[in-house]
Amino acid sequence: MRYSRAFIPTLRETPSEAQAISHQLMLRAGLIRPLAAGVYSFLPLGWRVMQKVMRVIREEMDAIGGQEFHFPALNPVEIWQQTGRVDTMGDVLFHIKNREGLLLAPTHEEVVAFHARQHIKSYKDLPQIWYQIQPKFRNEPRPRFGVLRGRQFTMKDSYSLDATWEGLDISYEKHAHAYRRIFQRCGLRFFVVGASSGAMGGSLSQEFMVESPAGEDTCAVCSQCDYAANAEVARSAVDPTPRMPDSQPLERFPTPGVRSIDDLVHRFALPEERCAKALLYIADGRPVMVLLRGNDELNEVKLQAVLGAISLRPASPEELRNYTGASAGSIGPVDLPTPMLIVADERLRDANELVSGANSDGYHYRHIDLQRDCRIDLYADVRTVQMGEPCPECKAPLRIVRAIEVGHIFKLGTKYSEALGAMFLDEHGRECPIIMGSYGIGVERIIAAFIEQNHDERGICWIPTIAPFHVHLVALALERDEAVRQTADTLYEQLGQAGIEVLYDDRNESAGVKFNDADLLGLPLQLIVGPRTVGSGLVEVKERRSDRRHYVAPEQVVETVQRLLAQLSEAGCEIAS
RNA sequence: CGGGGCGUAGCGCAGCCUGGCAUAGCGCGCCUGGUUUGGGACCAGGAGGUCGUGGGUUCAAAUCCCACCGCCCCGACCA
């Protein structure tokens, strides 16, 4: 491609709306342009990257026996009602206004189950892996960070259909393997975490995460072993609260003005680990008290999972007063005026000699014994893991990092097949629901995550696998130096014939402009042809990432470029693994 | 949805507080001509704007007021 004919609108300045580095660079390098909030056009350069990434995905999906489909984005509302997701997904679903009964699909479990119901009749038809790469529509309340969270985005979604749970395990493992290869080949440094299945339902799910400050997920990652988990499910080996040999008699004492555990600790010289913080939540309309140690933080996702609640929110100040008779800071598990479920964090299991609110403003109890003085309905891990806490596997300190979710794999089970009646006959002639898994990759997120991890102050640093072109041919002063023009034209021709994708900067621009654009676009190799080098019978090959430069005769360029691209491709895999 | 901010040329911004000085400026980019050319050149000339939209106040509105729309940020939410 000749740059002079190409539509590559680079920006010298960073657009003010862009916060994340990847967003800034995708705009500046002319990969994308915004069209509306959370909606982006891919320009030719960006679309080339998309296609390269999709090619990798197709190759790996095909390698595990996946068959590519193309499902419509327009879906009948009916099938979504049958699985209940019109309600559970709520506002996230885009509904069509001027045509009753259609919506824009945010994912395709329903459609897959629908077609499976039509044609999968026997265990002999199974297993199947169906996939597609297609736009998805989600009415995100707040799109963010460019293509990292958009209202329309491209997803590779695949669905496994199996006759047995063992079969599901195999399909799931195949996907885990394919995903590892995909992200590796795309040059991502990633880790895999156990995750919450959320409203998708199902038994097991794992997320493929790329560590980045632009990430919207928080993960606990072990600094030594390979333990990693989404904060929604992460554990740590923190000390439990030891039970004292004797429980002193329960004692109510005045604590005027105390609003927090810190107040208690400082004004009454109490050890933090003996303070029990009580929180009041409303789960599906009913009050639940949560007891945590000291300044431990509640993890609402964990609590919701433990309770199996559809909705969960903190109680309002009025509710707090109505249910406990006190305001925040003075509530506790002892002497609750309203009977309610009490959930205590595992860390407080059977503890005694605790201090907690007395459900009366300005008063607390001390010497609380959870076995003697109140009824704990449930002990569960509901706390948020903090930076530096010991790993549950190896006790090394955990790091808490932000991460971008680039892939998510779910063992769904029979939720969707049962709802839509996708049944088959097993070898005993029994009718059984198809066992499903679903597996997603955010294609744009791969690109954004890659840029987050592979850039410097000058621009992007692509690897050959997903670079929009392989080589940036920079010809300097070609308008007035015929030797340069001829050398560059010839090299462009030869490289093209060798199957190497070249972006040929044949513009009549100054050297500085060309170099800066080349570094911004970040193609893996730059081939610099200028009067200086051509005069001495050489051309310069520059590796973008390392800035390493090689000077070779024009006849050796094709071979040199091929060798360096191969090296860089391998290096890309090493970076990733 | 709650809180905050912004909307002036393709991009980045100033002007608004305290209305008139105004034919709405500046830098970058763009067009023409010339000089330049190994890290974002220089000179000269030029094009480009319903100041987000609608309403109101006023002799007079980019500027003050109201409503709406759009965008960004923090939070809530996020299969």
PDB file of all heavy atoms in Angstrom, chain A residues 448-469:
ATOM      1  N   ALA A 448      -6.790  -3.722  22.025  1.00  0.00           N
ATOM      2  CA  ALA A 448      -6.526  -2.691  23.035  1.00  0.00           C
ATOM      3  C   ALA A 448      -5.571  -3.210  24.101  1.00  0.00           C
ATOM      4  O   ALA A 448      -4.634  -2.514  24.504  1.00  0.00           O
ATOM      5  CB  ALA A 448      -7.834  -2.223  23.660  1.00  0.00           C
ATOM      6  N   ALA A 449      -5.786  -4.445  24.534  1.00  0.00           N
ATOM      7  CA  ALA A 449      -4.918  -5.017  25.566  1.00  0.00           C
ATOM      8  C   ALA A 449      -3.500  -5.153  25.038  1.00  0.00           C
ATOM      9  O   ALA A 449      -2.530  -4.884  25.748  1.00  0.00           O
ATOM     10  CB  ALA A 449      -5.452  -6.379  26.019  1.00  0.00           C
ATOM     11  N   PHE A 450      -3.375  -5.550  23.776  1.00  0.00           N
ATOM     12  CA  PHE A 450      -2.039  -5.670  23.182  1.00  0.00           C
ATOM     13  C   PHE A 450      -1.329  -4.321  23.210  1.00  0.00           C
ATOM     14  O   PHE A 450      -0.161  -4.214  23.578  1.00  0.00           O
ATOM     15  CB  PHE A 450      -2.122  -6.185  21.742  1.00  0.00           C
ATOM     16  CG  PHE A 450      -0.785  -6.229  21.066  1.00  0.00           C
ATOM     17  CD1 PHE A 450       0.033  -7.340  21.200  1.00  0.00           C
ATOM     18  CD2 PHE A 450      -0.309  -5.138  20.350  1.00  0.00           C
ATOM     19  CE1 PHE A 450       1.291  -7.379  20.612  1.00  0.00           C
ATOM     20  CE2 PHE A 450       0.951  -5.157  19.761  1.00  0.00           C
ATOM     21  CZ  PHE A 450       1.749  -6.283  19.893  1.00  0.00           C
ATOM     22  N   ILE A 451      -2.045  -3.279  22.808  1.00  0.00           N
ATOM     23  CA  ILE A 451      -1.421  -1.954  22.769  1.00  0.00           C
ATOM     24  C   ILE A 451      -1.064  -1.485  24.174  1.00  0.00           C
ATOM     25  O   ILE A 451      -0.002  -0.885  24.385  1.00  0.00           O
ATOM     26  CB  ILE A 451      -2.346  -0.950  22.051  1.00  0.00           C
ATOM     27  CG1 ILE A 451      -2.497  -1.346  20.582  1.00  0.00           C
ATOM     28  CG2 ILE A 451      -1.800   0.472  22.160  1.00  0.00           C
ATOM     29  CD1 ILE A 451      -3.529  -0.544  19.824  1.00  0.00           C
ATOM     30  N   GLU A 452      -1.934  -1.784  25.131  1.00  0.00           N
ATOM     31  CA  GLU A 452      -1.602  -1.425  26.517  1.00  0.00           C
ATOM     32  C   GLU A 452      -0.254  -2.035  26.920  1.00  0.00           C
ATOM     33  O   GLU A 452       0.523  -1.414  27.633  1.00  0.00           O
ATOM     34  CB  GLU A 452      -2.684  -1.926  27.480  1.00  0.00           C
ATOM     35  CG  GLU A 452      -4.017  -1.197  27.378  1.00  0.00           C
ATOM     36  CD  GLU A 452      -3.992   0.212  27.974  1.00  0.00           C
ATOM     37  OE1 GLU A 452      -3.148   0.463  28.857  1.00  0.00           O
ATOM     38  OE2 GLU A 452      -4.805   1.047  27.536  1.00  0.00           O
ATOM     39  N   GLN A 453      -0.002  -3.242  26.441  1.00  0.00           N
ATOM     40  CA  GLN A 453       1.224  -3.937  26.853  1.00  0.00           C
ATOM     41  C   GLN A 453       2.390  -3.720  25.908  1.00  0.00           C
ATOM     42  O   GLN A 453       3.523  -4.053  26.252  1.00  0.00           O
ATOM     43  CB  GLN A 453       0.961  -5.446  26.932  1.00  0.00           C
ATOM     44  CG  GLN A 453       0.107  -5.851  28.112  1.00  0.00           C
ATOM     45  CD  GLN A 453       0.068  -7.359  28.287  1.00  0.00           C
ATOM     46  OE1 GLN A 453       0.256  -8.108  27.332  1.00  0.00           O
ATOM     47  NE2 GLN A 453      -0.167  -7.799  29.504  1.00  0.00           N
ATOM     48  N   ASN A 454       2.119  -3.195  24.711  1.00  0.00           N
ATOM     49  CA  ASN A 454       3.185  -3.111  23.708  1.00  0.00           C
ATOM     50  C   ASN A 454       3.227  -1.733  23.055  1.00  0.00           C
ATOM     51  O   ASN A 454       2.840  -1.570  21.904  1.00  0.00           O
ATOM     52  CB  ASN A 454       2.993  -4.198  22.645  1.00  0.00           C
ATOM     53  CG  ASN A 454       3.108  -5.591  23.221  1.00  0.00           C
ATOM     54  OD1 ASN A 454       4.199  -6.106  23.424  1.00  0.00           O
ATOM     55  ND2 ASN A 454       1.969  -6.189  23.501  1.00  0.00           N
ATOM     56  N   HIS A 455       3.691  -0.769  23.828  1.00  0.00           N
ATOM     57  CA  HIS A 455       3.839   0.575  23.276  1.00  0.00           C
ATOM     58  C   HIS A 455       5.010   1.242  23.984  1.00  0.00           C
ATOM     59  O   HIS A 455       5.482   0.758  25.018  1.00  0.00           O
ATOM     60  CB  HIS A 455       2.567   1.386  23.500  1.00  0.00           C
ATOM     61  CG  HIS A 455       2.336   1.733  24.936  1.00  0.00           C
ATOM     62  ND1 HIS A 455       1.650   0.927  25.787  1.00  0.00           N
ATOM     63  CD2 HIS A 455       2.759   2.782  25.679  1.00  0.00           C
ATOM     64  CE1 HIS A 455       1.632   1.469  26.998  1.00  0.00           C
ATOM     65  NE2 HIS A 455       2.300   2.588  26.965  1.00  0.00           N
ATOM     66  N   ASP A 456       5.480   2.342  23.415  1.00  0.00           N
ATOM     67  CA  ASP A 456       6.416   3.179  24.148  1.00  0.00           C
ATOM     68  C   ASP A 456       5.989   4.624  23.936  1.00  0.00           C
ATOM     69  O   ASP A 456       4.888   4.866  23.441  1.00  0.00           O
ATOM     70  CB  ASP A 456       7.868   2.922  23.710  1.00  0.00           C
ATOM     71  CG  ASP A 456       8.082   3.157  22.216  1.00  0.00           C
ATOM     72  OD1 ASP A 456       7.281   3.900  21.611  1.00  0.00           O
ATOM     73  OD2 ASP A 456       9.042   2.615  21.647  1.00  0.00           O
ATOM     74  N   GLU A 457       6.850   5.566  24.309  1.00  0.00           N
ATOM     75  CA  GLU A 457       6.424   6.964  24.253  1.00  0.00           C
ATOM     76  C   GLU A 457       6.208   7.457  22.821  1.00  0.00           C
ATOM     77  O   GLU A 457       5.547   8.453  22.594  1.00  0.00           O
ATOM     78  CB  GLU A 457       7.410   7.870  25.007  1.00  0.00           C
ATOM     79  CG  GLU A 457       8.828   7.940  24.452  1.00  0.00           C
ATOM     80  CD  GLU A 457       9.616   6.632  24.627  1.00  0.00           C
ATOM     81  OE1 GLU A 457       9.240   5.826  25.497  1.00  0.00           O
ATOM     82  OE2 GLU A 457      10.595   6.421  23.870  1.00  0.00           O
ATOM     83  N   ARG A 458       6.697   6.683  21.853  1.00  0.00           N
ATOM     84  CA  ARG A 458       6.568   7.123  20.462  1.00  0.00           C
ATOM     85  C   ARG A 458       5.343   6.530  19.758  1.00  0.00           C
ATOM     86  O   ARG A 458       4.890   7.065  18.757  1.00  0.00           O
ATOM     87  CB  ARG A 458       7.817   6.747  19.667  1.00  0.00           C
ATOM     88  CG  ARG A 458       9.126   7.172  20.343  1.00  0.00           C
ATOM     89  CD  ARG A 458      10.310   6.991  19.422  1.00  0.00           C
ATOM     90  NE  ARG A 458      10.193   7.886  18.291  1.00  0.00           N
ATOM     91  CZ  ARG A 458      10.596   9.151  18.299  1.00  0.00           C
ATOM     92  NH1 ARG A 458      11.156   9.650  19.377  1.00  0.00           N
ATOM     93  NH2 ARG A 458      10.454   9.908  17.240  1.00  0.00           N
ATOM     94  N   GLY A 459       4.880   5.404  20.270  1.00  0.00           N
ATOM     95  CA  GLY A 459       3.729   4.783  19.602  1.00  0.00           C
ATOM     96  C   GLY A 459       3.597   3.304  19.901  1.00  0.00           C
ATOM     97  O   GLY A 459       4.096   2.813  20.912  1.00  0.00           O
ATOM     98  N   ILE A 460       2.924   2.618  18.974  1.00  0.00           N
ATOM     99  CA  ILE A 460       2.632   1.198  19.148  1.00  0.00           C
ATOM    100  C   ILE A 460       3.835   0.368  18.710  1.00  0.00           C
ATOM    101  O   ILE A 460       4.624   0.813  17.865  1.00  0.00           O
ATOM    102  CB  ILE A 460       1.406   0.816  18.288  1.00  0.00           C
ATOM    103  CG1 ILE A 460       0.223   1.723  18.645  1.00  0.00           C
ATOM    104  CG2 ILE A 460       1.020  -0.651  18.467  1.00  0.00           C
ATOM    105  CD1 ILE A 460      -0.972   1.590  17.697  1.00  0.00           C
ATOM    106  N   CYS A 461       4.002  -0.822  19.286  1.00  0.00           N
ATOM    107  CA  CYS A 461       5.037  -1.762  18.838  1.00  0.00           C
ATOM    108  C   CYS A 461       4.368  -3.088  18.488  1.00  0.00           C
ATOM    109  O   CYS A 461       4.223  -3.968  19.342  1.00  0.00           O
ATOM    110  CB  CYS A 461       6.092  -1.989  19.926  1.00  0.00           C
ATOM    111  SG  CYS A 461       6.917  -0.496  20.492  1.00  0.00           S
ATOM    112  N   TRP A 462       3.954  -3.240  17.233  1.00  0.00           N
ATOM    113  CA  TRP A 462       3.256  -4.463  16.821  1.00  0.00           C
ATOM    114  C   TRP A 462       4.206  -5.640  16.715  1.00  0.00           C
ATOM    115  O   TRP A 462       5.410  -5.475  16.522  1.00  0.00           O
ATOM    116  CB  TRP A 462       2.603  -4.258  15.445  1.00  0.00           C
ATOM    117  CG  TRP A 462       1.491  -3.270  15.397  1.00  0.00           C
ATOM    118  CD1 TRP A 462       1.498  -2.058  14.775  1.00  0.00           C
ATOM    119  CD2 TRP A 462       0.192  -3.402  15.983  1.00  0.00           C
ATOM    120  NE1 TRP A 462       0.287  -1.432  14.948  1.00  0.00           N
ATOM    121  CE2 TRP A 462      -0.537  -2.236  15.678  1.00  0.00           C
ATOM    122  CE3 TRP A 462      -0.437  -4.394  16.731  1.00  0.00           C
ATOM    123  CZ2 TRP A 462      -1.849  -2.023  16.100  1.00  0.00           C
ATOM    124  CZ3 TRP A 462      -1.743  -4.187  17.163  1.00  0.00           C
ATOM    125  CH2 TRP A 462      -2.431  -3.009  16.843  1.00  0.00           C
ATOM    126  N   ILE A 463       3.615  -6.830  16.790  1.00  0.00           N
ATOM    127  CA  ILE A 463       4.330  -8.044  16.385  1.00  0.00           C
ATOM    128  C   ILE A 463       3.803  -8.424  15.000  1.00  0.00           C
ATOM    129  O   ILE A 463       2.695  -8.036  14.628  1.00  0.00           O
ATOM    130  CB  ILE A 463       4.103  -9.208  17.373  1.00  0.00           C
ATOM    131  CG1 ILE A 463       2.616  -9.490  17.548  1.00  0.00           C
ATOM    132  CG2 ILE A 463       4.738  -8.893  18.719  1.00  0.00           C
ATOM    133  CD1 ILE A 463       2.317 -10.790  18.264  1.00  0.00           C
ATOM    134  N   PRO A 464       4.592  -9.159  14.228  1.00  0.00           N
ATOM    135  CA  PRO A 464       4.188  -9.447  12.847  1.00  0.00           C
ATOM    136  C   PRO A 464       2.803 -10.089  12.740  1.00  0.00           C
ATOM    137  O   PRO A 464       2.059  -9.784  11.799  1.00  0.00           O
ATOM    138  CB  PRO A 464       5.273 -10.421  12.357  1.00  0.00           C
ATOM    139  CG  PRO A 464       6.477 -10.061  13.168  1.00  0.00           C
ATOM    140  CD  PRO A 464       5.958  -9.662  14.515  1.00  0.00           C
ATOM    141  N   THR A 465       2.434 -10.957  13.674  1.00  0.00           N
ATOM    142  CA  THR A 465       1.172 -11.702  13.555  1.00  0.00           C
ATOM    143  C   THR A 465      -0.044 -10.795  13.405  1.00  0.00           C
ATOM    144  O   THR A 465      -0.953 -11.101  12.643  1.00  0.00           O
ATOM    145  CB  THR A 465       0.963 -12.587  14.799  1.00  0.00           C
ATOM    146  OG1 THR A 465       2.195 -13.247  15.094  1.00  0.00           O
ATOM    147  CG2 THR A 465      -0.135 -13.601  14.567  1.00  0.00           C
ATOM    148  N   ILE A 466      -0.084  -9.693  14.152  1.00  0.00           N
ATOM    149  CA  ILE A 466      -1.290  -8.871  14.115  1.00  0.00           C
ATOM    150  C   ILE A 466      -1.036  -7.453  13.631  1.00  0.00           C
ATOM    151  O   ILE A 466      -1.943  -6.625  13.639  1.00  0.00           O
ATOM    152  CB  ILE A 466      -2.001  -8.843  15.495  1.00  0.00           C
ATOM    153  CG1 ILE A 466      -1.090  -8.248  16.560  1.00  0.00           C
ATOM    154  CG2 ILE A 466      -2.477 -10.227  15.890  1.00  0.00           C
ATOM    155  CD1 ILE A 466      -1.829  -8.009  17.881  1.00  0.00           C
ATOM    156  N   ALA A 467       0.194  -7.171  13.182  1.00  0.00           N
ATOM    157  CA  ALA A 467       0.491  -5.836  12.649  1.00  0.00           C
ATOM    158  C   ALA A 467      -0.327  -5.598  11.377  1.00  0.00           C
ATOM    159  O   ALA A 467      -0.549  -6.518  10.603  1.00  0.00           O
ATOM    160  CB  ALA A 467       1.983  -5.732  12.332  1.00  0.00           C
ATOM    161  N   PRO A 468      -0.766  -4.365  11.147  1.00  0.00           N
ATOM    162  CA  PRO A 468      -1.551  -4.096   9.938  1.00  0.00           C
ATOM    163  C   PRO A 468      -0.735  -4.320   8.661  1.00  0.00           C
ATOM    164  O   PRO A 468      -1.284  -4.719   7.646  1.00  0.00           O
ATOM    165  CB  PRO A 468      -1.970  -2.634  10.088  1.00  0.00           C
ATOM    166  CG  PRO A 468      -1.132  -2.060  11.173  1.00  0.00           C
ATOM    167  CD  PRO A 468      -0.685  -3.188  12.042  1.00  0.00           C
ATOM    168  N   PHE A 469       0.544  -4.029   8.722  1.00  0.00           N
ATOM    169  CA  PHE A 469       1.484  -4.375   7.650  1.00  0.00           C
ATOM    170  C   PHE A 469       2.753  -4.876   8.339  1.00  0.00           C
ATOM    171  O   PHE A 469       2.964  -4.631   9.530  1.00  0.00           O
ATOM    172  CB  PHE A 469       1.851  -3.149   6.795  1.00  0.00           C
ATOM    173  CG  PHE A 469       0.702  -2.617   5.973  1.00  0.00           C
ATOM    174  CD1 PHE A 469      -0.154  -1.655   6.500  1.00  0.00           C
ATOM    175  CD2 PHE A 469       0.480  -3.068   4.679  1.00  0.00           C
ATOM    176  CE1 PHE A 469      -1.212  -1.160   5.747  1.00  0.00           C
ATOM    177  CE2 PHE A 469      -0.578  -2.571   3.914  1.00  0.00           C
ATOM    178  CZ  PHE A 469      -1.419  -1.627   4.451  1.00  0.00           C
TER     179      PHE A 469
END
